[in-house]
Amino acid sequence: GGVVPRVDVLNTSITNTDIDGGTMVLRGSDAFAINKGAGLAFAYKYDTAGNYATGARVRGAKENSTDGNYAGYLAFDTRANAGNFAERMRIDSTGNVGIGNTTPLTALDVTGSASLSANLSLRGAATAHTFNILDNGTLNIQRSPGGDAGLATALFVQNNGNVGIGTTTPDSKLVVNSSVNNRALTLYN
């Protein structure tokens, strides 16, 4: 005895070299066009009366409108209470993942804020690691002793290249501002 599945599909294994195969295939019936395909929706009871609502889905669709080009993407959609579905994440035909956007430009492309509860590592001995601040933006590295509350700027880079340590308004190439022991900068030899 174990859990008996509601649907049990048995087939030979597929590999990443199978062109048109799958253990199960969902097909859309629309004429070919961009964003047309098929999906799998997830529904659940949402009230004590036993009514169902669909709150999440996974879609596979055509990535372009070019005749004969079958490049596709996989999208993950959710919706808020009483709202419409919104795409939250996409894996495009090149393998790029977009969170918060539908046109990821890199292996991971996040639009909006992101949070890490551990380390961020940059790997590759021969790789020149860069942080690109696009669209004339600024970089504000903040710290806090207790989560998001009480954030204070540790390092700030303005869009003109000026750097501030302890300040967000550096008016020269490097501005150091500190209230510790009335010393802004200490150099050791």
Side-chain angles (χ1 to χ4, degrees):
V3 176
V4 177
R6 300 278 189 227
V7 177
D8 186 2
V9 180
L10 178 65
N11 193 8
T12 57
S13 297
I14 62 171
T15 68
N16 64 352
T17 58
D18 292 336
I19 294 175
D20 290 322
T23 301
M24 185 181 340
V25 176
L26 303 176
R27 293 185 178 156
S29 61
D30 294 319
F32 98 90
I34 191 170
N35 297 325
K36 297 295 183 179
L40 181 63
F42 300 90
Y44 42 82
K45 290 182 181 178
Y46 72 94
D47 62 15
T48 57
N51 293 306
Y52 283 86
T54 303
R57 65 185 179 193
V58 179
R59 298 178 292 117
K62 185 168 170 50
E63 194 171 64
N64 57 66
S65 59
T66 305
D67 190 10
N69 184 328
Y70 49 80
Y73 65 85
L74 185 64
F76 297 83
D77 305 335
T78 62
R79 71 178 191 173
N81 185 41
N84 295 321
F85 277 103
E87 185 173 319
R88 307 300 182 186
M89 184 174 78
R90 176 180 292 205
I91 304 171
D92 72 11
S93 63
T94 65
N96 289 345
V97 176
I99 299 175
N101 70 69
T102 59
T103 55
L105 302 175
T106 58
L108 178 60
D109 191 343
V110 179
T111 299
S113 297
S115 178
L116 298 173
S117 61
N119 300 323
L120 174 64
S121 298
L122 305 175
R123 299 189 190 281
T127 303
H129 301 292
T130 61
F131 282 100
N132 298 316
I133 310 301
L134 304 176
D135 301 323
N136 204 28
T138 61
L139 174 64
N140 189 359
I141 298 175
Q142 298 178 317
R143 58 176 298 282
S144 170
D148 289 340
L151 289 169
T153 295
L155 178 74
F156 187 85
V157 181
Q158 278 186 326
N159 55 13
N160 62 4
N162 289 352
V163 176
I165 299 175
T167 179
T168 59
T169 57
D171 57 1
S172 58
K173 287 297 177 192
L174 176 62
V175 174
V176 180
N177 183 12
S178 174
S179 60
V180 178
N181 298 328
N182 293 323
R183 290 184 290 187
L185 181 64
T186 303
L187 300 174
Y188 294 98
N189 185 0

